[in-house]
Protein backbone atom coordinates (compact mmCIF):
# COMPACT_ATOMS: atom_id res chain seq x y z
CA UNK A 1 0.00 0.00 0.00
CA UNK A 2 1.26 3.45 -0.89
CA UNK A 3 0.85 4.90 2.60
CA UNK A 4 2.99 7.72 3.90
CA UNK A 5 5.14 5.45 6.17
CA UNK A 6 5.77 3.07 3.26
CA UNK A 7 6.73 5.87 0.87
CA UNK A 8 8.99 7.45 3.50
CA UNK A 9 10.69 4.11 4.06
CA UNK A 10 11.24 3.61 0.33
CA UNK A 11 12.75 7.09 0.09
CA UNK A 12 15.04 6.39 3.04
CA UNK A 13 16.21 3.05 1.63
CA UNK A 14 16.80 4.52 -1.82
CA UNK A 15 18.79 7.39 -0.35
CA UNK A 16 21.03 5.01 1.60
CA UNK A 17 21.51 2.84 -1.49
CA UNK A 18 22.36 5.88 -3.59
CA UNK A 19 24.75 7.29 -1.00
CA UNK A 20 26.62 3.98 -0.71
CA UNK A 21 26.75 3.47 -4.49
CA UNK A 22 24.78 0.23 -4.66
CA UNK A 23 22.01 1.24 -7.08
CA UNK A 24 23.48 -0.62 -10.07
CA UNK A 25 23.97 -3.73 -7.92
CA UNK A 26 20.30 -3.86 -6.89
CA UNK A 27 19.12 -3.27 -10.45
CA UNK A 28 21.41 -6.00 -11.76
CA UNK A 29 20.23 -8.53 -9.15
CA UNK A 30 16.60 -7.65 -9.90
CA UNK A 31 17.31 -8.19 -13.60
CA UNK A 32 18.92 -11.57 -12.85
CA UNK A 33 16.01 -12.74 -10.69
CA UNK A 34 13.52 -11.70 -13.36
CA UNK A 35 15.49 -13.63 -16.00
CA UNK A 36 15.69 -16.74 -13.80
CA UNK A 37 11.92 -16.71 -13.41
CA UNK A 38 11.48 -16.22 -17.16
CA UNK A 39 13.56 -19.38 -17.63
CA UNK A 40 10.85 -21.23 -15.69
CA UNK A 41 13.16 -21.85 -12.74
CA UNK A 42 11.89 -21.41 -9.20
CA UNK A 43 13.96 -19.04 -7.13
CA UNK A 44 13.71 -17.27 -3.78
CA UNK A 45 15.80 -14.69 -1.93
CA UNK A 46 17.11 -15.64 1.47
CA UNK A 47 18.87 -13.83 4.29
CA UNK A 48 18.68 -10.29 5.62
CA UNK A 49 18.02 -8.90 2.11
CA UNK A 50 14.38 -9.85 2.75
CA UNK A 51 14.29 -6.89 5.15
CA UNK A 52 14.67 -4.39 2.30
CA UNK A 53 11.49 -2.91 0.88
CA UNK A 54 13.48 -2.15 -2.27
CA UNK A 55 14.10 -5.90 -2.73
CA UNK A 56 10.38 -6.57 -2.40
CA UNK A 57 9.41 -3.76 -4.77
CA UNK A 58 11.89 -4.85 -7.45
CA UNK A 59 10.91 -8.54 -7.28
CA UNK A 60 14.17 -9.75 -5.73
CA UNK A 61 12.29 -11.00 -2.67
CA UNK A 62 8.72 -12.23 -2.21
CA UNK A 63 8.69 -11.21 1.48
CA UNK A 64 6.83 -8.00 2.40
CA UNK A 65 9.10 -6.42 5.03
CA UNK A 66 6.49 -3.88 6.14
CA UNK A 67 3.89 -6.55 6.83
CA UNK A 68 6.35 -8.67 8.80
CA UNK A 69 8.11 -5.85 10.65
CA UNK A 70 11.53 -6.36 9.05
CA UNK A 71 14.22 -3.72 9.08
CA UNK A 72 16.36 -2.45 6.22
CA UNK A 73 19.17 -1.53 8.63
CA UNK A 74 19.64 -5.23 9.50
CA UNK A 75 20.66 -5.69 5.85
CA UNK A 76 22.46 -2.47 4.93
CA UNK A 77 23.76 -0.06 7.52
CA UNK A 78 25.47 3.19 6.64
CA UNK A 79 27.48 2.89 9.88
CA UNK A 80 28.80 -0.54 8.93
CA UNK A 81 31.63 -1.01 6.48
CA UNK A 82 30.22 -4.13 4.82
CA UNK A 83 29.13 -4.81 1.27
CA UNK A 84 25.57 -6.01 0.64
CA UNK A 85 25.37 -9.72 -0.01
CA UNK A 86 22.15 -11.00 -1.59
CA UNK A 87 21.58 -14.76 -1.66
CA UNK A 88 19.29 -16.27 -4.29
CA UNK A 89 18.13 -19.89 -4.02
CA UNK A 90 17.44 -21.67 -7.32
CA UNK A 91 16.54 -25.20 -8.32
CA UNK A 92 19.62 -27.34 -7.73
CA UNK A 93 18.99 -29.38 -10.88
CA UNK A 94 19.24 -26.23 -13.03
CA UNK A 95 21.87 -24.19 -11.18
CA UNK A 96 24.40 -24.65 -13.97
CA UNK A 97 21.90 -23.15 -16.43
CA UNK A 98 21.58 -20.10 -14.21
CA UNK A 99 25.36 -19.72 -14.00
CA UNK A 100 25.73 -19.94 -17.75
CA UNK A 101 22.93 -17.46 -18.39
CA UNK A 102 24.37 -14.88 -15.99
CA UNK A 103 27.91 -15.21 -17.31
CA UNK A 104 26.72 -14.99 -20.90
CA UNK A 105 24.37 -12.07 -20.22
CA UNK A 106 26.88 -9.80 -18.50
CA UNK A 107 30.02 -10.72 -20.40
CA UNK A 108 33.56 -11.69 -19.56
CA UNK A 109 34.62 -8.18 -18.56
CA UNK A 110 31.88 -7.68 -15.94
CA UNK A 111 31.04 -11.03 -14.40
CA UNK A 112 32.85 -14.12 -13.12
CA UNK A 113 32.51 -16.87 -10.54
CA UNK A 114 34.20 -16.76 -7.16
CA UNK A 115 36.81 -19.40 -6.39
CA UNK A 116 37.69 -21.30 -3.27
CA UNK A 117 41.10 -22.61 -2.29
CA UNK A 118 41.28 -26.40 -2.31
CA UNK A 119 43.85 -27.46 0.28
CA UNK A 120 45.83 -30.66 0.75
CA UNK A 121 44.21 -33.54 2.61
CA UNK A 122 45.54 -37.03 3.23
CA UNK A 123 44.94 -38.67 -0.14
CA UNK A 124 46.10 -35.74 -2.28
CA UNK A 125 49.15 -35.13 -0.08
CA UNK A 126 50.23 -38.78 -0.31
CA UNK A 127 49.88 -38.74 -4.10
CA UNK A 128 51.84 -35.50 -4.56
CA UNK A 129 54.65 -36.44 -2.19
CA UNK A 130 54.84 -39.93 -3.69
CA UNK A 131 55.41 -38.41 -7.14
CA UNK A 132 58.09 -36.09 -5.78
CA UNK A 133 59.90 -39.00 -4.13
CA UNK A 134 59.74 -41.07 -7.32
CA UNK A 135 57.59 -43.91 -5.96
CA UNK A 136 55.67 -45.99 -8.54
CA UNK A 137 52.31 -44.44 -9.36
CA UNK A 138 50.33 -47.67 -8.88
CA UNK A 139 51.76 -48.22 -5.38
CA UNK A 140 51.20 -44.61 -4.34
CA UNK A 141 47.61 -44.82 -5.56
CA UNK A 142 46.98 -47.91 -3.43
CA UNK A 143 48.42 -46.21 -0.36
CA UNK A 144 46.37 -43.04 -0.94
CA UNK A 145 43.12 -44.96 -1.36
CA UNK A 146 43.74 -46.79 1.92
CA UNK A 147 43.05 -43.57 3.85
CA UNK A 148 39.57 -42.15 4.40
CA UNK A 149 38.83 -38.50 3.63
CA UNK A 150 40.77 -37.00 6.54
CA UNK A 151 43.21 -34.15 7.03
CA UNK A 152 46.81 -34.82 6.05
CA UNK A 153 47.99 -34.07 9.59
CA UNK A 154 46.16 -37.20 10.80
CA UNK A 155 47.90 -39.71 8.49
CA UNK A 156 50.12 -41.48 11.01
CA UNK A 157 47.68 -41.05 13.87
CA UNK A 158 44.88 -42.67 11.83
CA UNK A 159 46.98 -45.80 11.23
CA UNK A 160 46.85 -46.45 14.98
CA UNK A 161 43.30 -45.30 15.71
CA UNK A 162 41.23 -46.42 12.72
CA UNK A 163 40.28 -50.14 12.77
CA UNK A 164 40.37 -50.42 8.97
CA UNK A 165 44.05 -49.34 8.93
CA UNK A 166 45.35 -51.28 11.94
CA UNK A 167 45.69 -54.53 10.02
CA UNK A 168 47.59 -52.96 7.14
CA UNK A 169 51.36 -52.83 6.84
CA UNK A 170 51.37 -49.06 6.24
CA UNK A 171 53.08 -48.47 9.57
CA UNK A 172 55.98 -50.84 8.94
CA UNK A 173 58.38 -47.94 8.46
CA UNK A 174 59.04 -48.22 4.73
CA UNK A 175 56.80 -45.22 4.01
CA UNK A 176 57.79 -43.12 7.01
CA UNK A 177 59.41 -40.38 4.88
CA UNK A 178 56.36 -40.24 2.60
CA UNK A 179 53.95 -39.86 5.52
CA UNK A 180 56.12 -37.36 7.40
CA UNK A 181 56.36 -35.01 4.42
CA UNK A 182 52.71 -35.49 3.44
CA UNK A 183 51.56 -34.49 6.93
CA UNK A 184 53.41 -31.19 6.62
CA UNK A 185 51.38 -30.33 3.50
CA UNK A 186 48.15 -30.26 5.52
CA UNK A 187 46.17 -27.11 4.81
CA UNK A 188 48.53 -25.81 2.11
CA UNK A 189 46.83 -24.55 -1.07
CA UNK A 190 46.56 -27.15 -3.78
CA UNK A 191 44.56 -25.43 -6.52
CA UNK A 192 41.64 -23.06 -7.08
CA UNK A 193 38.18 -24.60 -7.44
CA UNK A 194 34.85 -23.16 -8.46
CA UNK A 195 32.91 -21.77 -5.48
CA UNK A 196 29.51 -23.48 -5.26
CA UNK A 197 27.50 -20.25 -5.27
CA UNK A 198 29.38 -16.93 -5.50
CA UNK A 199 29.25 -14.75 -8.64
CA UNK A 200 31.04 -11.39 -8.86
CA UNK A 201 29.09 -8.55 -10.48
CA UNK A 202 31.37 -5.69 -11.49
CA UNK A 203 31.99 -2.90 -13.97
CA UNK A 204 33.65 -3.49 -17.34
CA UNK A 205 37.14 -3.24 -15.80
CA UNK A 206 36.91 -6.50 -13.82
CA UNK A 207 39.80 -8.20 -15.73
CA UNK A 208 42.00 -5.20 -14.92
CA UNK A 209 41.27 -5.43 -11.20
CA UNK A 210 41.71 -9.15 -10.52
CA UNK A 211 43.28 -12.04 -12.49
CA UNK A 212 40.94 -14.58 -14.06
CA UNK A 213 41.07 -18.22 -15.11
CA UNK A 214 38.80 -20.99 -16.39
CA UNK A 215 37.29 -23.74 -14.29
CA UNK A 216 37.21 -27.40 -15.33
CA UNK A 217 33.77 -26.74 -16.88
CA UNK A 218 35.05 -23.58 -18.61
CA UNK A 219 33.34 -21.12 -16.28
CA UNK A 220 35.20 -17.83 -15.79
CA UNK A 221 36.62 -17.50 -12.27
CA UNK A 222 38.35 -14.68 -10.45
CA UNK A 223 41.51 -15.81 -8.68
CA UNK A 224 40.11 -14.72 -5.32
CA UNK A 225 37.98 -16.49 -2.73
CA UNK A 226 34.90 -14.96 -1.10
CA UNK A 227 36.90 -13.19 1.61
CA UNK A 228 39.40 -11.72 -0.85
CA UNK A 229 36.56 -10.61 -3.10
CA UNK A 230 35.14 -8.55 -0.24
CA UNK A 231 38.57 -7.09 0.57
CA UNK A 232 38.87 -6.03 -3.07
CA UNK A 233 35.55 -4.21 -2.76
CA UNK A 234 33.82 -6.43 -5.33
CA UNK A 235 30.10 -7.04 -5.02
CA UNK A 236 28.90 -10.62 -5.34
CA UNK A 237 25.65 -12.49 -5.66
CA UNK A 238 25.31 -15.94 -4.14
CA UNK A 239 23.28 -18.30 -6.33
CA UNK A 240 22.65 -21.40 -4.25
CA UNK A 241 21.25 -24.64 -5.59
CA UNK A 242 18.45 -25.90 -3.34
CA UNK A 243 17.08 -29.39 -3.85
CA UNK A 244 13.75 -28.49 -2.30
CA UNK A 245 13.05 -26.05 -5.12
CA UNK A 246 13.77 -28.80 -7.65
CA UNK A 247 11.41 -31.08 -5.72
CA UNK A 248 8.71 -28.41 -5.81
CA UNK A 249 9.22 -27.88 -9.55
CA UNK A 250 8.90 -31.63 -10.10
CA UNK A 251 5.72 -31.60 -7.99
CA UNK A 252 4.16 -28.78 -9.99
CA UNK A 253 5.07 -30.45 -13.28
CA UNK A 254 3.52 -33.74 -12.15
CA UNK A 255 0.36 -31.97 -10.99
CA UNK A 256 0.00 -30.28 -14.38
CA UNK A 257 0.77 -33.50 -16.27
CA UNK A 258 -1.76 -35.61 -14.37
CA UNK A 259 -4.53 -33.09 -13.65
CA UNK A 260 -4.01 -30.30 -16.17
CA UNK A 261 -3.94 -27.83 -13.29
CA UNK A 262 -1.21 -25.18 -13.32
CA UNK A 263 -0.50 -23.91 -9.80
CA UNK A 264 1.23 -20.63 -8.98
CA UNK A 265 2.68 -21.23 -5.52
CA UNK A 266 3.47 -17.56 -5.09
CA UNK A 267 -0.25 -16.78 -5.23
CA UNK A 268 -1.65 -19.35 -2.81
CA UNK A 269 -3.26 -18.11 0.41
CA UNK A 270 -1.06 -18.29 3.51
CA UNK A 271 -3.87 -19.25 5.90
CA UNK A 272 -4.97 -22.58 4.42
CA UNK A 273 -6.57 -24.76 7.16
CA UNK A 274 -5.50 -28.07 5.61
CA UNK A 275 -1.89 -26.92 5.50
CA UNK A 276 -1.83 -25.94 9.16
CA UNK A 277 -3.62 -29.17 10.10
CA UNK A 278 -0.70 -31.03 8.49
CA UNK A 279 1.87 -28.82 10.20
CA UNK A 280 0.27 -29.18 13.64
CA UNK A 281 0.14 -32.95 13.19
CA UNK A 282 3.93 -32.79 12.60
CA UNK A 283 3.62 -35.16 9.62
CA UNK A 284 6.06 -32.90 7.82
CA UNK A 285 8.70 -35.30 6.55
CA UNK A 286 9.99 -33.86 3.27
CA UNK A 287 8.91 -30.31 4.08
CA UNK A 288 11.51 -27.54 4.06
CA UNK A 289 12.98 -26.61 7.46
CA UNK A 290 10.38 -28.51 9.52
CA UNK A 291 11.09 -32.20 8.93
CA UNK A 292 13.75 -33.00 11.54
CA UNK A 293 12.70 -34.87 14.69
CA UNK A 294 13.45 -31.80 16.81
CA UNK A 295 11.42 -29.54 14.56
CA UNK A 296 8.47 -31.91 14.51
CA UNK A 297 8.54 -32.01 18.31
CA UNK A 298 8.54 -28.21 18.39
CA UNK A 299 5.60 -28.07 15.96
CA UNK A 300 3.59 -30.30 18.27
CA UNK A 301 4.29 -27.97 21.19
CA UNK A 302 3.85 -24.73 19.27
CA UNK A 303 0.72 -25.74 17.29
CA UNK A 304 1.06 -23.10 14.54
CA UNK A 305 -2.15 -21.72 13.06
CA UNK A 306 -0.95 -18.74 11.01
CA UNK A 307 1.97 -17.82 8.76
CA UNK A 308 3.68 -15.68 11.42
CA UNK A 309 3.93 -18.79 13.61
CA UNK A 310 6.13 -20.40 10.96
CA UNK A 311 8.55 -17.48 11.22
CA UNK A 312 8.67 -17.93 15.00
CA UNK A 313 9.11 -21.69 14.70
CA UNK A 314 12.06 -21.38 12.32
CA UNK A 315 13.66 -18.75 14.57
CA UNK A 316 13.25 -20.72 17.80
CA UNK A 317 14.72 -23.92 16.38
CA UNK A 318 18.27 -22.60 16.40
CA UNK A 319 21.19 -23.45 18.70
CA UNK A 320 21.11 -20.01 20.37
CA UNK A 321 17.42 -19.91 21.36
CA UNK A 322 17.50 -23.55 22.46
CA UNK A 323 20.65 -22.98 24.53
CA UNK A 324 19.13 -19.89 26.17
CA UNK A 325 15.89 -21.78 26.89
CA UNK A 326 13.84 -19.20 25.01
CA UNK A 327 11.54 -21.95 23.72
CA UNK A 328 9.95 -22.91 27.06
CA UNK A 329 8.79 -19.41 28.15
CA UNK A 330 7.55 -18.67 24.64
CA UNK A 331 5.48 -21.88 24.46
CA UNK A 332 4.07 -21.33 27.96
CA UNK A 333 3.09 -17.75 27.22
CA UNK A 334 1.66 -18.59 23.82
CA UNK A 335 -0.70 -21.17 25.32
CA UNK A 336 -1.63 -19.04 28.34
CA UNK A 337 0.22 -21.15 30.90
CA UNK A 338 1.97 -18.00 32.09
CA UNK A 339 1.31 -14.32 31.34
CA UNK A 340 3.46 -12.26 28.96
CA UNK A 341 6.17 -10.35 30.81
CA UNK A 342 7.82 -7.12 29.75
CA UNK A 343 10.85 -5.63 31.45
CA UNK A 344 9.27 -2.20 30.88
CA UNK A 345 6.00 -1.04 29.31
CA UNK A 346 8.04 0.73 26.63
CA UNK A 347 9.06 -2.72 25.29
CA UNK A 348 5.51 -3.94 24.71
CA UNK A 349 5.34 -2.65 21.13
CA UNK A 350 8.59 -4.40 20.16
CA UNK A 351 7.96 -7.69 22.00
CA UNK A 352 4.20 -8.15 21.94
CA UNK A 353 4.26 -10.53 18.95
CA UNK A 354 6.51 -12.91 20.91
CA UNK A 355 4.79 -12.47 24.29
CA UNK A 356 7.69 -10.54 25.79
CA UNK A 357 10.43 -13.00 24.75
CA UNK A 358 13.23 -11.51 22.65
CA UNK A 359 13.41 -13.85 19.64
CA UNK A 360 14.58 -11.66 16.74
CA UNK A 361 17.52 -9.39 16.05
CA UNK A 362 15.01 -6.82 14.81
CA UNK A 363 13.40 -6.81 18.27
CA UNK A 364 16.74 -6.04 19.89
CA UNK A 365 17.10 -3.08 17.56
CA UNK A 366 13.59 -1.88 18.42
CA UNK A 367 14.29 -2.21 22.14
CA UNK A 368 17.43 -0.08 21.77
CA UNK A 369 15.24 2.66 20.33
CA UNK A 370 13.92 3.35 23.85
CA UNK A 371 17.34 4.87 24.57
CA UNK A 372 17.12 7.17 21.57
CA UNK A 373 19.33 5.11 19.24
CA UNK A 374 18.60 5.19 15.52
CA UNK A 375 18.04 1.81 13.86
CA UNK A 376 21.47 2.06 12.21
CA UNK A 377 23.10 2.68 15.61
CA UNK A 378 21.01 -0.07 17.18
CA UNK A 379 22.18 -2.61 14.62
CA UNK A 380 25.81 -1.69 15.22
CA UNK A 381 25.32 -2.10 18.98
CA UNK A 382 23.46 -5.40 18.54
CA UNK A 383 26.48 -6.85 16.76
CA UNK A 384 28.74 -6.08 19.71
CA UNK A 385 26.53 -7.10 22.63
CA UNK A 386 28.43 -10.36 23.04
CA UNK A 387 31.83 -8.67 22.78
CA UNK A 388 33.37 -8.81 26.24
CA UNK A 389 35.79 -5.98 25.44
CA UNK A 390 33.02 -3.53 24.53
CA UNK A 391 30.07 -4.60 26.66
CA UNK A 392 30.98 -2.32 29.58
CA UNK A 393 31.13 0.83 27.46
CA UNK A 394 27.94 -0.13 25.63
CA UNK A 395 26.11 -0.65 28.93
CA UNK A 396 27.20 2.71 30.34
CA UNK A 397 26.21 4.52 27.16
CA UNK A 398 22.81 2.79 27.06
CA UNK A 399 21.99 3.53 30.70
CA UNK A 400 22.95 7.17 30.30
CA UNK A 401 20.89 7.61 27.12
CA UNK A 402 17.92 5.64 28.46
CA UNK A 403 17.71 7.83 31.55
CA UNK A 404 17.99 10.92 29.36
CA UNK A 405 15.02 9.59 27.35
CA UNK A 406 12.84 9.35 30.46
CA UNK A 407 13.43 5.86 31.85
CA UNK A 408 14.18 5.53 35.53
CA UNK A 409 17.59 4.25 36.56
CA UNK A 410 16.19 0.91 37.75
CA UNK A 411 14.02 0.54 34.64
CA UNK A 412 16.97 1.28 32.37
CA UNK A 413 19.05 -1.31 34.21
CA UNK A 414 16.25 -3.90 33.89
CA UNK A 415 15.91 -3.30 30.17
CA UNK A 416 19.66 -3.59 29.67
CA UNK A 417 19.86 -6.88 31.57
CA UNK A 418 17.05 -8.22 29.37
CA UNK A 419 18.98 -7.19 26.26
CA UNK A 420 22.27 -8.59 27.48
CA UNK A 421 20.65 -11.92 28.40
CA UNK A 422 19.09 -12.64 25.02
CA UNK A 423 20.98 -10.53 22.49
CA UNK A 424 23.55 -13.17 21.55
CA UNK A 425 20.87 -15.85 21.11
CA UNK A 426 18.36 -14.10 18.86
CA UNK A 427 17.84 -14.89 15.20
CA UNK A 428 17.36 -12.59 12.23
CA UNK A 429 13.63 -12.38 11.51
CA UNK A 430 14.33 -11.54 7.85
CA UNK A 431 16.15 -14.88 7.49
CA UNK A 432 13.25 -16.74 9.08
CA UNK A 433 10.62 -14.89 7.03
CA UNK A 434 12.49 -15.74 3.81
CA UNK A 435 12.62 -19.42 4.82
CA UNK A 436 8.99 -19.46 5.97
CA UNK A 437 7.70 -18.95 2.41
CA UNK A 438 9.16 -22.16 0.90
CA UNK A 439 8.41 -23.95 4.17
CA UNK A 440 4.72 -23.11 3.97
CA UNK A 441 4.59 -23.83 0.22
CA UNK A 442 6.11 -27.28 0.68
CA UNK A 443 3.63 -28.05 3.47
CA UNK A 444 0.77 -26.82 1.25
CA UNK A 445 1.83 -29.16 -1.53
CA UNK A 446 2.07 -32.11 0.83
CA UNK A 447 -1.34 -31.32 2.35
CA UNK A 448 -3.14 -31.06 -1.02
CA UNK A 449 -1.03 -33.22 -3.38
CA UNK A 450 0.88 -35.68 -1.16
CA UNK A 451 1.68 -38.21 -3.91
CA UNK A 452 2.92 -35.54 -6.31
CA UNK A 453 4.94 -33.85 -3.57
CA UNK A 454 6.60 -37.01 -2.31
CA UNK A 455 7.46 -38.03 -5.88
CA UNK A 456 9.47 -34.81 -6.05
CA UNK A 457 11.11 -35.48 -2.69
CA UNK A 458 12.05 -39.00 -3.77
CA UNK A 459 13.47 -37.74 -7.07
CA UNK A 460 15.66 -34.95 -5.71
CA UNK A 461 16.20 -36.01 -2.05
CA UNK A 462 16.20 -32.49 -0.59
CA UNK A 463 16.02 -33.46 3.07
CA UNK A 464 17.66 -35.56 5.73
CA UNK A 465 15.88 -38.88 5.29
CA UNK A 466 16.69 -41.87 3.02
CA UNK A 467 14.29 -42.93 0.30
CA UNK A 468 13.03 -45.95 2.22
CA UNK A 469 11.73 -43.68 4.97
CA UNK A 470 10.08 -41.33 2.44
CA UNK A 471 8.41 -44.33 0.84
CA UNK A 472 7.15 -45.44 4.23
CA UNK A 473 5.81 -41.95 4.87
CA UNK A 474 3.95 -42.17 1.56
CA UNK A 475 2.39 -45.47 2.60
CA UNK A 476 1.29 -43.95 5.91
CA UNK A 477 -0.48 -41.26 3.87
CA UNK A 478 -2.34 -44.02 2.01
CA UNK A 479 -0.33 -43.60 -1.20
CA UNK A 480 0.28 -46.85 -3.12
CA UNK A 481 3.88 -47.48 -4.19
CA UNK A 482 3.80 -48.89 -7.71
CA UNK A 483 6.59 -51.32 -8.62
CA UNK A 484 9.42 -50.68 -11.02
CA UNK A 485 8.29 -51.38 -14.58
CA UNK A 486 10.52 -51.06 -17.63
CA UNK A 487 7.49 -49.98 -19.68
CA UNK A 488 6.12 -47.43 -17.18
CA UNK A 489 8.91 -46.19 -14.94
CA UNK A 490 10.66 -42.97 -15.90
CA UNK A 491 14.08 -41.82 -14.84
CA UNK A 492 12.41 -39.80 -12.04
CA UNK A 493 9.61 -40.80 -9.69
CA UNK A 494 6.23 -40.18 -11.31
CA UNK A 495 2.59 -40.18 -10.27
CA UNK A 496 -0.09 -42.41 -11.77
CA UNK A 497 -3.86 -42.50 -11.21
CA UNK A 498 -5.05 -45.47 -9.14
CA UNK A 499 -8.44 -46.42 -7.78
CA UNK A 500 -7.97 -44.53 -4.51
CA UNK A 501 -6.35 -41.45 -6.04
CA UNK A 502 -2.70 -41.40 -7.08
CA UNK A 503 0.21 -43.75 -6.60
CA UNK A 504 3.96 -43.22 -6.92
CA UNK A 505 5.81 -45.23 -9.56
CA UNK A 506 9.35 -46.28 -8.63
CA UNK A 507 12.07 -44.69 -10.74
CA UNK A 508 14.78 -46.06 -13.02
CA UNK A 509 17.30 -43.64 -11.49
CA UNK A 510 17.49 -45.89 -8.42
CA UNK A 511 18.53 -49.02 -10.31
CA UNK A 512 22.18 -49.55 -9.45
CA UNK A 513 24.31 -50.13 -12.54
CA UNK A 514 22.09 -48.30 -15.04
CA UNK A 515 23.45 -44.95 -16.24
CA UNK A 516 21.53 -41.86 -17.32
CA UNK A 517 22.56 -42.54 -20.93
CA UNK A 518 21.13 -46.06 -20.79
CA UNK A 519 17.92 -44.82 -19.16
CA UNK A 520 17.55 -42.25 -21.95
CA UNK A 521 18.03 -45.01 -24.52
CA UNK A 522 15.32 -47.13 -22.87
CA UNK A 523 12.88 -44.20 -22.72
CA UNK A 524 13.52 -43.31 -26.36
CA UNK A 525 13.08 -46.87 -27.60
CA UNK A 526 9.73 -47.46 -25.89
CA UNK A 527 8.13 -44.31 -27.34
CA UNK A 528 7.14 -46.29 -30.44
CA UNK A 529 5.64 -49.20 -28.46
CA UNK A 530 6.11 -50.96 -25.11
CA UNK A 531 8.76 -53.65 -24.82
CA UNK A 532 7.30 -57.09 -25.38
CA UNK A 533 10.16 -59.05 -23.83
CA UNK A 534 13.64 -58.79 -22.39
CA UNK A 535 15.10 -59.66 -25.77
CA UNK A 536 12.96 -56.92 -27.36
CA UNK A 537 14.44 -54.43 -24.89
CA UNK A 538 18.03 -55.47 -25.63
CA UNK A 539 17.49 -55.24 -29.36
CA UNK A 540 15.62 -51.91 -29.54
CA UNK A 541 17.29 -50.04 -26.67
CA UNK A 542 20.73 -51.48 -27.42
CA UNK A 543 21.59 -52.06 -23.76
CA UNK A 544 24.12 -54.54 -22.46
CA UNK A 545 23.54 -57.76 -20.56
CA UNK A 546 24.75 -56.25 -17.22
CA UNK A 547 22.13 -53.52 -17.58
CA UNK A 548 19.43 -56.12 -18.23
CA UNK A 549 20.58 -58.09 -15.20
CA UNK A 550 20.45 -54.95 -13.04
CA UNK A 551 16.91 -54.21 -14.23
CA UNK A 552 15.88 -57.81 -13.67
CA UNK A 553 17.32 -57.79 -10.15
CA UNK A 554 15.28 -54.63 -9.41
CA UNK A 555 12.09 -56.31 -10.66
CA UNK A 556 11.65 -54.11 -13.73
CA UNK A 557 10.74 -57.13 -15.90
CA UNK A 558 8.03 -58.60 -13.73
CA UNK A 559 5.28 -59.58 -16.15
CA UNK A 560 7.63 -59.82 -19.13
CA UNK A 561 9.08 -63.08 -20.48
CA UNK A 562 12.48 -63.67 -18.89
CA UNK A 563 13.78 -66.09 -21.53
CA UNK A 564 15.37 -64.83 -24.72
CA UNK A 565 13.28 -65.26 -27.86
Amino acid sequence: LRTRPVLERVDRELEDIRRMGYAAYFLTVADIVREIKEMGIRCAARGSAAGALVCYATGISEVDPVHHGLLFERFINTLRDELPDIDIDVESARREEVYERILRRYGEDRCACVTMVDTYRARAAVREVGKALGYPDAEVDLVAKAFPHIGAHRIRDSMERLPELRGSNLGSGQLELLFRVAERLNGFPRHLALHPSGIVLSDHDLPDRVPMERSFLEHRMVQADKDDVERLGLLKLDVLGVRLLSSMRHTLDEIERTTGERIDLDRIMDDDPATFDLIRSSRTIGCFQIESPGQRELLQKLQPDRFEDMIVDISLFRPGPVKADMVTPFINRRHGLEPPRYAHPALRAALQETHGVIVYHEQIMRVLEVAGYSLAEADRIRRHLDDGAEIGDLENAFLERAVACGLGTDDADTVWRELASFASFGFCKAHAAAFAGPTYQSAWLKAHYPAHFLSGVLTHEPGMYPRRLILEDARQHGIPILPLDVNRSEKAYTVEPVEAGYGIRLALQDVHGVSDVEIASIEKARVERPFASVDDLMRRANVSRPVVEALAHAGAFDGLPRRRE
Side-chain angles (χ1 to χ4, degrees), residues 51-240:
L53 187 53
V54 168
C55 286
Y56 180 63
T58 56
I60 295 173
S61 169
E62 297 292 336
V63 179
D64 183 347
V66 175
H67 177 73
H68 294 295
L70 311 181
L71 302 177
F72 177 73
E73 289 78 7
R74 177 61 180 79
F75 172 47
I76 290 180
N77 191 333
T78 55
L79 302 179
R80 204 169 66 226
D81 187 21
E82 290 184 8
L83 298 173
D85 190 5
I86 300 177
D87 298 340
I88 300 295
D89 292 342
V90 301
E91 299 172 30
S92 60
R94 301 185 66 184
R95 181 171 62 90
E96 291 292 333
E97 292 180 50
V98 175
Y99 265 33
E100 291 169 2
R101 179 67 67 90
I102 294 173
L103 294 172
R104 186 168 64 250
R105 169 73 181 273
Y106 295 99
E108 298 196 3
D109 58 346
R110 292 189 56 205
C111 184
C113 296
V114 178
T115 58
M116 59 183 183
V117 179
D118 188 21
T119 58
Y120 278 100
R121 293 174 62 79
R123 290 186 175 186
V126 166
R127 286 191 173 97
E128 295 295 335
V129 174
K131 291 177 183 178
L133 295 177
Y135 293 170
D137 290 345
E139 294 181 13
V140 171
D141 187 59
L142 287 174
V143 173
K145 287 181 178 178
F147 291 96
H149 296 286
I150 57 175
H153 63 293
R154 295 179 53 199
I155 289 177
R156 286 181 291 183
D157 176 64
S158 67
M159 291 189 294
E160 300 176 2
R161 301 183 59 168
L162 297 179
E164 62 267 32
L165 295 180
R166 284 187 196 140
S168 67
N169 62 351
L170 294 176
S172 61
Q174 296 177 344
L175 301 174
E176 177 64 19
L177 176 61
L178 170 67
F179 294 150
R180 184 154 40 88
V181 177
E183 284 181 333
R184 297 182 65 180
L185 289 181
N186 181 68
F188 274 69
R190 186 181 177 212
H191 63 81
L192 295 178
L194 186 71
H195 190 274
S197 62
I199 296 179
V200 171
L201 303 174
S202 180
D203 207 344
H204 58 81
D205 62 347
L206 181 61
D208 298 328
R209 301 174 65 186
V210 59
M212 316 264 274
E213 66 175 76
R214 295 281 179 180
S215 72
F216 176 76
L217 296 176
E218 294 298 312
H219 289 124
R220 293 189 308 280
M221 304 189 305
V222 294
Q223 291 182 351
D225 64 15
K226 62 182 182 65
D227 296 324
D228 290 335
V229 162
E230 292 184 5
R231 294 189 185 99
L232 290 167
L234 297 171
L235 290 167
K236 70 180 177 69
L237 169 70
D238 283 319
V239 179
L240 303 116

